Amino acid sequence: MTDRHGGAEPGGSALDGFLGRLNPDMCVVTAAADGERAGCLVGFASQCSIDPPRFAVWLSKVNHTYHVARAAHHLAVHLLTRDQRDLAELLGGQTGDEIDKFARLDWWEGPGGAPVLTDAAAWFVGTILHRTDGGDHVGFVLDPVRWGGDRDGPLLKLSHVSGIDAGHPVD
């Protein structure tokens, strides 16, 4: 059913016409807490303030990384280039509940113990300022405290990872 302006009312699949057009940059989020490390591929992430600079990442509540991030004080956010799909496949297609992803990665310990991926195109580590429940995902608002990376190339986008089966289904 549509309203008088031609828009669909809640409950329909017309929202897919909007959401299906989005093609965000993908990123990898890593966390460490209580002697455990975790990392996952994330499509819900964005700068959310200019001054002061803030960034928000959204982690699925069923994801292993979310469970580690709940106890973490810092998260690392990494951008990948299109030629790094293998990293995206490892971090998005496997679950830390079953394998140690970091045994297969080059990384170093950043602020607050957050694992920083050596080969990322760009990265930052942020202090977690707020956690916000958004439904099946929780948003982590980050205050960047350290950053780096200078790998050139076009960034990995949602359309480039559509064939990766998630390590954890949404429900």
Side-chain angles (χ1 to χ4, degrees), residues 77-164:
V77 181
H78 309 79
L79 294 175
L80 303 179
T81 57
R82 289 183 193 168
D83 64 345
Q84 294 179 296
R85 190 176 189 283
D86 57 331
L87 280 175
E89 195 147 353
L90 171 64
L91 289 152
Q94 301 290 325
T95 174
D97 292 327
E98 297 172 1
I99 68 163
D100 178 5
K101 297 178 191 181
F102 292 89
R104 303 174 187 190
L105 297 170
D106 289 327
W107 62 278
W108 56 276
E109 190 173 303
V116 177
L117 304 180
T118 305
D119 295 329
W123 58 270
F124 78 89
V125 175
T127 302
I128 300 170
L129 297 178
H130 307 286
R131 293 170 175 88
T132 302
D133 192 312
D136 60 7
H137 284 64
V138 171
F140 292 76
V141 177
L142 305 174
D143 175 16
V145 295
R146 189 164 176 199
W147 47 87
D150 59 3
R151 184 181 174 118
D152 288 330
L155 295 178
L156 189 71
K157 294 192 167 288
L158 177 62
S159 60
H160 303 129
V161 299
S162 62
I164 296 174

Side-chain angles (χ1 to χ4, degrees), residues 20-108:
R21 292 179 178 211
L22 300 177
N23 193 24
D25 294 330
M26 300 300 290
C27 58
V28 168
V29 174
T30 58
D34 302 326
E36 191 172 5
R37 293 181 303 269
C40 66
L41 188 64
V42 173
F44 301 154
S46 177
Q47 182 176 352
C48 58
S49 176
I50 297 170
D51 188 16
R54 299 288 186 259
F55 197 86
V57 295
W58 295 83
L59 302 177
S60 170
K61 291 177 182 177
V62 300
N63 192 297
H64 178 71
T65 303
Y66 165 72
H67 295 287
V68 175
R70 287 187 313 181
H73 297 286
H74 294 79
L75 298 179
V77 181
H78 309 79
L79 294 175
L80 303 179
T81 57
R82 289 183 193 168
D83 64 345
Q84 294 179 296
R85 190 176 189 283
D86 57 331
L87 280 175
E89 195 147 353
L90 171 64
L91 289 152
Q94 301 290 325
T95 174
D97 292 327
E98 297 172 1
I99 68 163
D100 178 5
K101 297 178 191 181
F102 292 89
R104 303 174 187 190
L105 297 170
D106 289 327
W107 62 278
W108 56 276

